[in-house]
Amino acid sequence: MTGQTLWFISRATGTVSLILFTTIVVLGMVIAGRRAPHGDSATIVMGLHRWLSLGSLAFLALHIVTAIADGYVSVGWLSTILPFTSVYRTFWVGLGTLAVDILLAVVVTSYLRHRMPERSWKAIHWLSYAMWPFALIHGFAMGTASEPLLRWLTVLCGAAGAAAVAWRLRTTHADRERRALVNFQEWS
Amino acid sequence: MTIVEELERAGLTGRGGAAFSTAIKVRAAHDNDADLVVNACDGEVGARKDAWVVEHHLAELVEGARLVTSGRRDRVTYAAHRGSRTADLLTRAGLEVLDVPARYVSSEETAILSLLHGGLAKPMTKRLPFVYGGRDSLGKRIAPTVVLNAETVWRVSQVRRNGPDWFRRFGTDTEPGPRLVSVGGAVAHPGIFEVGSGVPIRDLLDAAGGLEPRVPALLVGGLGGVLLTTDEAATTAWSGPGMAAYGGSMGAGVIEALDPTRCPLDVVTDLVTYGAGESAGQCGPCMFGLPAVAESWAELARDPNQQTLDRLQDRLGVIPGRGACHHPDGVTRFVGSALRVLMPHIHEHVAGPCPLGRSRHAVH
Amino acid sequence: MPSTDREVGVRIAVDRVLCTGHGVCARTLPGRIRLDEWGYPIVEAVAVDPVDADLAVKLCPARALYLR
Ligand SMILES: Cc1cc2nc3c(=O)[nH]c(=O)nc-3n(C[C@H](O)[C@H](O)[C@H](O)COP(=O)(O)O)c2cc1C
Ligand code: SF4
Ligand code: SF4
């Protein structure tokens, strides 16, 4: 395979990964923010959230492998797990590496969720809110200005995610409100 | 004989409500090297007996705790409601006291354990009994701990001191031993009485100086118990089977005569509203179900009709067994019994003003 | 729902403290779990098919379903 092809595949899979991550994070917020009477769609949302996270790993793996194998720029295998070790654009590649690390932690803990303390799972899952902007900024910074389409896709992902965050901050449901209300009382 | 063997032979069961074999709990505590919490909260509505134990038998209580923890005093914590006289007495005796928020559900055993381990005084899901150690729902470790009611621990020392045969001289074969009952409310002389299972409830009421005139009903077992008519109470034995006939139990040993100056429907409204407000807000069916039950009951008391009655009964049918603790089971049981006992009175309300001529319903 | 299924299988339970009423289990275990008027599960058949149960346990967003 020529470097050109590899470079192209890397771009494409990177973009698809970003779109998938955005979708997964948005679906996650939908799950957290909604309750009855959305039981039916919640089931689909939950299934998608779970299976897309697994599926996204394939695109991500291809993205990383092709980016390194391309050889056009020197990233190095170490940089796939250790952030900020890449010679080429240390900071922007490093953000991508950080996102990968967090993603792996989130996916692995979610598959082990039933075998670990719930609060540890929760703490790690919250890191997703850092993973997603890291991936986004990485994508935006690394994408060249010569491809306006990719740039626009990245911006679109950012807008969708930001809208979801805004919705999530405002939305509430009876379960959460009742718990908070009772917690105001004396319990310790 | 070891203390477990003695307890087994004596047949002591928990005096905190569930009446589970104390021998089995103490054996599990020994096997798991568990800590002990002595529950002296008296959290149940009308309960005062554990305060009485602390006030009059503190030395024997401490001795019982020593027996359960194989002599290791540093393994014992006394749980009492914050600001109560019991907490004060225990603290002044130099004992390790856990200050429990003075509320109903916080005196449930796993709420105490959660508080003891640095959490909130809210019940925990019991996947396994915590005498084996375990985790709360969020995964925090809970060390092996056994919770025993204060009267239970006092009885442990009595069994050691006087022997299982002495213990079995009280009560019945299946429910042996002396037990405390707090009798209060509309009686001449409220107090704590020691009896054996099987005595007529009438005797207990007589011991308390008798009922005041026109008592509409009796609350047996508090918010986790049942309502009885005065006739039922007069003809029933204070025993497990006696109370089971009405869906109740001897529970934590409380009998309260309802205030004859108030409409009993209003009294029940107050009680169930209190119970709903005591939900720890952790389990959906409890934190939404109990307020819904309270609302249905209040509506029934205000404006009795079939639709409200049906809705209340549906709710009562769907809530039990669906909380991390037995609080919702207790409250729904209580309301179910109130419905049975007060149904004639509800029908009288349909016909006109409260026939007992009681305060609130004068506006009808 | 074949009624014979109800007697075999694994035993399912809900951690009531963790359950926040997502209602997903009523869809993943239809006929076994239904929701009350407030959206919380009523377990109508404790014994469920192991494969169904496994999926339901995985898809509960609050991790509230567990096997006993
Ligand atoms: C809502 C609720 C409140 C309770 N309050 C008390 C209490 O105040 N004192 C008590 O000893 N047990 C109380 N219990 C029962 C305890 O959870 C526990 O069963 C008991 O302390 C165990 O001791 P025993 O085996 O000696 O009875 C309560 C239970 C529930 C569900
Ligand atoms: S059943 Fe009610 S009182 Fe008991 S833990 Fe759940 S919410 Fe709290
Ligand atoms: S899916 Fe889980 S959180 Fe949702 S109602 Fe069922 S048990 Fe509760």
Side-chain angles (χ1 to χ4, degrees), chain C residues 23-61:
Chain C
V24 170
C25 54
R27 292 290 299 170
T28 48
L29 291 172
R32 310 300 200 260
I33 293 183
R34 70 183 167 96
L35 302 180
D36 64 17
E37 61 177 297
W38 310 283
Y40 297 91
I42 299 169
V43 182
E44 292 187 308
V46 174
V48 299
D49 177 77
V51 180
D52 292 354
D54 190 55
L55 184 70
V57 164
K58 276 185 186 151
L59 286 188
C60 167

Side-chain angles (χ1 to χ4, degrees), chain B residues 105 123 278-283 286-287 322-328, chain C residues 17:
Chain B
V105 161
E278 284 303 293
S279 166
Q282 307 192 100
C283 315
C286 176
M287 65 178 164
R322 293 172 60 227
C325 77
H326 292 305
H327 179 52
Chain C
V17 177

Side-chain angles (χ1 to χ4, degrees), chain A residues 117-120 122 174-175 178-179 182-183 185-188, chain B residues 82 101 103 106 120-122 138 140 279-282 287-288:
Chain A
E118 177 69 2
R119 50 181 181 171
S120 314
K122 210 166 225 167
D175 183 277
R178 183 60 58 91
R179 280 172 202 265
V182 175
N183 263 332
Q185 304 166 359
E186 186 186 6
W187 289 108
S188 62
Chain B
R82 177 169 299 144
R103 53 189 309 163
S106 294
L120 298 178
K122 295 182 172 195
L138 287 180
K140 185 202 285 184
S279 166
Q282 307 192 100
M287 65 178 164
F288 290 106

Side-chain angles (χ1 to χ4, degrees), chain B residues 167-223:
Chain B
F167 188 81
R168 284 197 158 273
R169 264 190 253 144
F170 301 85
T172 62
D173 242 19
T174 46
E175 295 176 323
R179 53 186 73 233
L180 297 176
V181 188
S182 328
V183 184
V187 292
H189 309 294
I192 312 292
F193 304 94
E194 189 171 55
V195 296
S197 166
V199 301
I201 292 179
R202 185 202 293 272
D203 290 4
L204 271 164
L205 296 173
D206 286 347
L211 293 175
E212 287 178 17
R214 306 210 307 157
V215 162
L218 287 100
L219 177 58
V220 182
L223 207 47

